[in-house]
Amino acid sequence: MATNLIQPPLPASHSHYPQLSKIKNPLTSFSLLTQKPNSSRFNHYPFSGFRLKIAAVIEEQSSDLHERDNDTITLTKASIYQAIEGINRGVFGITSEKKREIEDLVMELEANNPTSNPLLSLDKVSGCWKLIYSTITILGSKRTKLGLRDFVNLGDFLQIIDIAEGKAVNIINFSARGLNLFGQLRIQSSFSIASPSRVNIKYDSSQITPEQLMNLFAKNYGLLLNIFNPEGWLEITFIDDTMKVGRDDKGNIFILERTTDSDEL
């Protein structure tokens, strides 16, 4: 015969079970759900250590991310130097494949720019820079007229930026074969800040020294200035302690490396 288990009814009040009246806070499901989390019974579980652990984890992850970004930039720079090797800064033209390769690397560098607002960090912009690649080219009859095909060699292209004065000087060094002649074209410009990453540039003056070099370029001086005159605007799309990338209003790309070679100034 099956046995029926009958649960006794719950008491209506503590009077039926006097021993329950001695318990101040009986452990019912209701009392557990409504226990306040900031009750003094939790005071011996400090939360500060937990917060410190979270902060440490976040800081470590941020440091790892920063390190990975630096590794990416370093590798991209190395690829750029390899890509531009032997092309004389691209000034006399390169193949379309090589140009596309360099532009892809530039875009990768720009995507990892550590200085999104370079003109708010003027110490990074100022100083002397050496051009290592540009999409400006001197081809065909222009190269012939300027004697750059057989007679005149191009030396370093330098840019000196004086933030305090709002001035920039572009220097193009030349040498003439057979004459033991060395000189330079200096183009001075003023610049004003148009945005946190862009400057407006205004041509001020230019000069070729020594006079013998000026005589070589006299007939085509206007052509020379049209090629190297920086007037317009320039957007700084990447900059760190050693390299700078800019794009101008004419669609040109410039890659420069920081230099401290005062002998060339």
Side-chain angles (χ1 to χ4, degrees):
M1 178 181 295
T3 303
N4 294 326
L5 297 179
I6 302 174
Q7 182 177 353
L10 292 175
S13 67
H14 292 168
S15 60
H16 291 79
Y17 294 87
Q19 64 272 24
L20 291 181
S21 62
K22 297 179 182 181
I23 301 177
K24 295 182 179 180
N25 187 20
L27 294 178
T28 63
S29 59
F30 179 78
S31 64
L32 286 174
L33 290 172
T34 56
Q35 178 66 49
K36 295 182 179 179
N38 60 351
S39 171
S40 60
R41 67 185 294 180
F42 295 100
N43 287 346
H44 62 288
Y45 294 105
F47 289 93
S48 57
F50 179 72
R51 294 193 186 100
L52 287 175
K53 287 181 181 179
I54 290 295
V57 170
I58 292 173
E59 184 177 355
E60 183 178 351
Q61 290 175 343
S62 177
S63 177
D64 290 343
L65 182 60
H66 180 69
E67 187 174 337
R68 286 197 296 271
D69 288 344
N70 285 340
D71 289 344
T72 300
I73 291 172
T74 299
L75 290 173
T76 306
K77 284 181 180 179
S79 298
I80 286 175
Y81 278 112
Q82 184 177 5
I84 65 175
E85 186 176 359
I87 65 170
N88 195 3
R89 292 150 293 193
V91 70
F92 296 130
I94 55 178
T95 65
S96 58
E97 290 81 9
K98 174 63 69 173
K99 184 176 181 180
R100 190 159 48 245
E101 175 190 357
I102 296 171
E103 289 186 358
D104 286 345
L105 290 169
V106 166
M107 291 175 65
E108 184 175 339
L109 201 61
E110 291 170 333
N112 292 282
N113 184 15
T115 315
S116 57
N117 298 312
L119 297 175
L120 300 181
S121 305
L122 296 179
D123 58 311
K124 287 187 176 293
V125 179
S126 64
C128 186
W129 300 85
K130 181 187 293 186
L131 184 75
I132 60 173
Y133 174 76
S134 169
T135 52
I136 290 179
T137 55
I138 306 174
L139 304 172
S141 61
K142 291 182 180 180
R143 185 175 178 182
T144 301
K145 287 179 180 179
L146 294 173
L148 296 174
R149 192 175 295 279
D150 303 309
F151 184 57
V152 179
N153 288 332
L154 282 172
D156 287 333
F157 291 37
L158 301 174
Q159 183 182 76
I160 307 167
I161 299 177
D162 186 338
I163 293 296
E165 297 293 328
K167 300 288 185 181
V169 179
N170 287 344
I171 299 173
I172 298 94
N173 290 308
F174 298 95
S175 63
R177 287 192 287 270
L179 297 179
N180 196 28
L181 180 62
F182 300 89
Q184 59 185 213
L185 166 65
R186 298 175 68 96
I187 302 176
Q188 181 168 305
S189 304
S190 304
F191 66 85
S192 59
I193 297 174
S195 79
S197 61
R198 179 179 294 188
V199 292
N200 293 325
I201 303 171
K202 180 180 178 297
Y203 168 83
D204 290 338
S205 63
S206 62
Q207 181 185 19
I208 293 182
T209 56
E211 186 176 351
Q212 296 96 312
L213 188 63
M214 178 62 192
N215 292 336
L216 290 176
F217 288 117
K219 291 182 180 180
N220 297 291
Y221 189 54
L223 174 61
L224 194 64
L225 285 183
N226 284 338
I227 294 172
F228 295 112
N229 182 6
E231 189 164 73
W233 56 256
L234 179 75
E235 189 89 19
I236 300 174
T237 57
F238 175 91
I239 189 168
D240 63 6
D241 293 334
T242 62
M243 186 173 284
K244 178 175 66 169
V245 176
R247 294 177 182 265
D248 69 7
D249 56 316
K250 305 167 189 69
N252 293 308
I253 296 174
F254 305 90
I255 308 176
L256 303 97
E257 63 179 7
R258 187 176 289 281
T259 180
T260 57
D261 192 348
S262 58
D263 293 338
E264 298 178 272
L265 303 183

